[in-house]
């Protein structure tokens, strides 16, 4: 199968015979902060704090492991349903992270992108997210995508709404709507699909993360909780990825087949 035969939305299209290759785009569902803290008799916030440390480690590891893009699920559209104090703690941790780490990330040539719904976020957080994106826009190193107030269904709904509006206004012929048009209306329009999705904490579900984009991602579930995620865990996930055969609905080419 040649990459040109692939539908447009498999943006990180495989090179022919790419089995055993490293993932270029890794997306992580950073889960288990609360259980990590509970197991140690600590308040949940301590788990979230240690989760930020793990996030910093993951960015460094991604760079060392040759990952070009790292997407981190930091706050879901459904996480608003948690107690107000926990939501406030998570907002404060994001503020502190951007204030503390933005300069260093920029110096490290990291390009920051944020996906998710900006409306409804505290004003200052919206400002910080924009500042992070603007400052690092021209960087050419690792792309760090922060999924914040993100929900896959919400993202698809808002894409559908904008497509419908364009059709209504005569800017788009409904007959031309295909997977590429939908992909172009998602928050991730200019970003490749994930090759590998990792979830920590032993939960085996997607929790509304990158629903469209992970159509052909490989999934690796790790039993450790997010605050314990380290370079070795990242390597383990990549090693598992490298044993997978990606077929995209086709067949594996065999010599003489
Ligand atoms: C992940 O840890 C962090 C966020 C969802 C923001 P959790 O807070 O979900 O931790 P568990 O799953 O309750 O252990
Ligand atoms: C998913 O974890 C969201 C993030 C990691 C930000 P959750 O802990 O919120 O997911 P569920 O509720 O267990 O599905
Ligand atoms: Mg959880």
């Amino acid at each position: 199968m040649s990459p040109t035969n692939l539908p447009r939305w498999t943006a990180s299209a495989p090179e022919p015979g790419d089995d055993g290759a490293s993932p270029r785009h890794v997306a992580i569902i950073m889960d288990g902060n609360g259980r990590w803290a509970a197991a140690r008799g600590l308040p949940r916030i301590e788990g979230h704090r240690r989760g930020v440390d793990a996030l910093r480690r993951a960015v460094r590891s991604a760079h060392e492991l040759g990952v070009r893009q790292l997407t981190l699920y930091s706050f879901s559209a459904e996480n608003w349903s948690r107690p107000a104090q926990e939501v406030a703690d998570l907002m404060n941790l994001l503020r502190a992270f951007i204030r503390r780490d933005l300069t260093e990330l920029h110096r490290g040539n990291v390009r920051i992108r944020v996906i998710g719904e900006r409306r409804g976020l505290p004003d200052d957080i919206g400002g910080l997210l924009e500042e992070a994106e603007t400052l690092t826009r021209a960087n050419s190193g690792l792309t760090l995508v922060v999924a914040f107030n993100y929900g896959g269904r919400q993202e698809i709904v808002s894409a559908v709404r904008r497509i419908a509006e364009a059709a209504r206004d005569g800017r788009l012929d409904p007959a031309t709507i295909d997977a590429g048009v939908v992909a172009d209306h998602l928050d991730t329009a200019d970003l490749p699909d994930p090759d590998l999705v990792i979830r920590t904490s032993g939960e085996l579900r997607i929790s509304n993360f990158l629903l469209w984009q992970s159509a052909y991602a490989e999934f690796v579930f790790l039993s450790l909780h997010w605050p314990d995620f380290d370079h070795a865990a990242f390597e383990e996930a990549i090693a598992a990825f490298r044993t997978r055969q990606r077929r995209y609905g086709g067949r594996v080419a065999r010599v003489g087949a």
Side-chain angles (χ1 to χ4, degrees), residues 64-118:
E64 287 167 23
L65 293 166
V67 170
R68 295 291 306 148
Q69 181 172 324
L70 180 67
T71 299
L72 299 174
Y73 202 7
S74 309
F75 190 85
S76 79
E78 286 76 30
N79 285 149
W80 294 106
S81 66
R82 296 190 179 200
Q85 184 58 56
E86 184 172 359
V87 170
D89 288 343
L90 290 166
M91 296 290 154
N92 282 332
L93 282 172
L94 178 76
R95 286 186 179 97
F97 173 71
I98 295 178
R99 290 200 187 109
R100 230 187 96 182
D101 289 56
L102 180 57
T103 309
E104 198 182 325
L105 289 167
H106 182 44
R107 230 184 277 134
N109 199 21
V110 174
R111 180 171 72 119
I112 299 175
R113 280 287 314 273
V114 182
I115 58 172
E117 181 57 62
R118 303 287 172 98

Side-chain angles (χ1 to χ4, degrees), residues 30-36 44 48 73-76 79 82 86 90 201 203 225:
M30 309 183 288
D31 198 16
N33 295 350
R35 278 164 285 168
W36 183 93
R44 287 183 73 86
H48 293 315
Y73 202 7
S74 309
F75 190 85
S76 79
N79 285 149
R82 296 190 179 200
E86 184 172 359
L90 290 166
S201 89
E203 304 294 352
H225 293 311

